[in-house]
Amino acid sequence: MFDLEIYEIVNILGLIIGIAFGIIAQKNQFCFSGSIKDYILIKSTKRAASVIMAMIVAIISTTLISNHFELDLTQTNYFKSNINYFAIILGGLLFGAGMMIADGCSSRSLVKYAQGDSNALITLIFIAIFAYATTKGLLFDIFNPFINNEFLINISSYITNTQMNIYIVLAILFTILFFTINKKLKRVFSLIDGVLIGLLVSAAWFVSGYIGQESMERNIELVGISFVYPTAKTLELFTYYQVNEVTFGISMVVGVLAGTFIMSFFNKKYSFGCTANKNINKVKYNMIGGALMGTGGIMAIGCTVGQGLTGLSTLAFASFLAIISIFISAFITGKILNKYEKLPMCFIFEWNDEKENKPVDFQI
């Protein structure tokens, strides 16, 4: 009945993965920046534990799938030969600061917008514009000489961007998880959102790397879940469809919006934008944060999800460097914003065995 080409099947599956991501992220408000803010404000590690769990599951499931289906993850952008660690670090620092200023990274902004926060659309537009401008537009001539600087690339080459030892990486992550859940092992069972998000990462690798490679009509890249450049390509498709085509990444972006929107009807407590009681210019913060994330995400070869989950699942050293840079920058930026009562936040989350598990509305 339906005679679909391989690339069309890949796009449909990308849409489904995006929908699932949106549903999960909306239900439990899965968020990298939110996990940092929870800790800064009330020392809560609940959402941080979900993030660590997602990393663990993404690494294990991706390793199993790549070995079974013979996917060569070293052929992805995370292992490109002319890697510039300085650009990745700077990009991570820019992205980390931007996601705290804008109250959410690229994936979080998609979720916030689809569940009712209209300010998040400003962030998404600026992420897309600055990501595209850094890749092909006005900012290309400014940042490209730094990103592709031969001297910096040569220095970076002294540390090979190879796959890290999976056992060492998992040992570190399990140790962090143990202390993040405050040594209460029963809390692991409440981290289902992290488990599911991690599985979606490996599912994306399977779709693009196994199913997609059978395509004869289009060349489908081996890619996972990422949102900075796909958001830019989605905007390009929306504004000038003649020069672009629907891709796996664009399908996931649309899917996240759709999944979040659907879930928001059943999980209505988050289905509105935040109001401002503190002296915070939300529009200005969304613009600045979005711009930093757009440029930073391109320089760092991904966002918190693109590098922190997808990139890290390949065990690329560059991805480890990127997510560490993002975390350090985000934590410092969050502390500074909180000091001056400028830290934007709608909800914080605590463990349900400490307090009733309901969001605290900061009305910011």
Side-chain angles (χ1 to χ4, degrees):
M1 180 178 179
F2 297 102
D3 188 16
L4 299 175
E5 304 288 355
I6 296 295
Y7 75 87
E8 293 174 322
I9 295 175
V10 168
N11 289 342
I12 291 173
L13 292 175
L15 180 69
I16 293 172
I17 290 174
I19 290 173
F21 187 102
I23 289 173
I24 297 166
Q26 202 282 337
K27 177 64 173 64
N28 285 17
Q29 300 293 289
F30 181 89
C31 180
F32 277 78
S33 62
S35 67
I36 295 174
K37 292 178 184 181
D38 288 351
Y39 184 79
I40 290 175
L41 291 169
I42 62 169
K43 306 300 181 187
S44 173
T45 57
K46 185 178 190 302
R47 287 199 285 181
S50 289
V51 170
I52 300 300
M53 178 60 79
M55 291 178 176
I56 292 172
V57 174
I59 290 172
I60 294 174
S61 58
T62 296
T63 300
L64 292 174
I65 284 180
S66 62
N67 289 339
H68 183 75
F69 294 101
E70 298 182 348
L71 305 182
D72 187 3
L73 298 179
T74 62
Q75 298 302 309
T76 63
N77 284 335
Y78 304 111
F79 291 93
K80 66 178 186 177
S81 58
N82 59 336
I83 199 78
N84 182 348
Y85 293 136
F86 297 92
I88 287 179
I89 292 173
L90 178 58
L93 295 176
L94 291 175
F95 191 94
M99 77 177 190
M100 300 304 285
I101 293 171
D103 191 22
C105 61
S106 46
S107 61
R108 177 63 177 162
S109 296
L110 287 169
V111 171
K112 286 177 62 181
Y113 172 59
Q115 71 180 10
D117 188 346
S118 58
N119 281 317
L121 178 60
I122 299 173
T123 303
L124 289 171
I125 291 175
F126 271 76
I127 288 174
I129 291 174
F130 275 78
Y132 200 81
T134 305
T135 305
K136 299 180 180 179
L138 182 64
L139 298 179
F140 177 80
D141 290 334
I142 297 175
F143 289 99
N144 186 61
F146 177 73
I147 296 174
N148 292 306
N149 185 281
E150 288 189 15
F151 177 72
L152 297 179
I153 291 175
N154 286 334
I155 295 177
S156 299
S157 67
Y158 285 105
I159 302 177
T160 305
N161 183 29
T162 186
Q163 283 187 305
M164 298 180 291
N165 185 287
I166 185 172
Y167 301 108
I168 294 176
V169 174
L170 288 178
I172 293 172
L173 289 176
F174 273 115
T175 300
I176 295 174
L177 179 65
F178 181 68
F179 287 101
T180 302
I181 61 177
N182 296 327
K183 306 177 183 179
K184 297 181 181 180
L185 294 179
K186 64 179 181 179
R187 289 180 170 179
V188 170
F189 298 103
S190 67
L191 306 179
I192 186 64
D193 56 332
V195 173
L196 294 176
I197 293 291
L199 291 175
L200 288 179
V201 171
S202 59
W205 285 124
F206 172 76
V207 171
S208 69
Y210 185 72
I211 298 177
Q213 298 314 301
E214 299 296 323
S215 176
M216 302 296 292
E217 305 82 18
R218 292 184 187 176
N219 179 37
I220 298 177
E221 290 185 79
L222 177 58
V223 295
I225 301 178
S226 189
F227 293 109
V228 172
Y229 191 60
T231 299
K233 298 298 286 184
T234 303
L235 179 62
E236 180 189 44
L237 179 66
F238 179 76
T239 55
Y240 193 28
Y241 72 95
Q242 291 175 320
V243 300
N244 200 358
E245 58 189 21
V246 178
T247 63
F248 182 64
I250 292 175
S251 299
M252 282 194 292
V253 169
V254 175
V256 172
L257 292 171
T260 301
F261 182 72
I262 293 170
M263 190 63 197
S264 65
F265 283 97
F266 302 95
N267 194 31
K268 295 183 178 181
K269 56 187 173 183
Y270 308 118
S271 300
F272 57 88
C274 298
T275 57
N277 284 339
K278 290 188 178 182
N279 184 26
I280 296 177
N281 187 325
K282 289 288 290 182
V283 174
K284 180 178 73 175
Y285 275 44
N286 290 133
M287 292 169 64
I288 295 173
L292 291 173
M293 284 189 284
T295 296
I298 294 300
M299 296 180 67
I301 321 179
C303 54
T304 46
V305 173
Q307 281 285 29
L309 292 181
T310 299
L312 195 62
S313 73
T314 70
L315 299 172
F317 175 73
S319 298
F320 169 77
L321 202 60
I323 196 60
I324 289 296
S325 300
I326 291 173
F327 171 78
I328 291 174
S329 175
F331 187 80
I332 293 174
T333 303
K335 293 288 284 186
I336 293 173
L337 290 172
N338 189 49
K339 178 180 178 180
Y340 294 99
E341 297 189 346
K342 300 286 186 179
L343 183 63
M345 168 61 76
C346 299
F347 304 102
I348 55 178
F349 295 81
E350 294 183 313
W351 293 100
N352 55 14
D353 56 3
E354 288 187 351
K355 281 190 176 183
E356 184 180 354
N357 187 28
K358 62 180 181 179
V360 179
D361 186 1
F362 269 68
Q363 291 296 303
I364 294 178

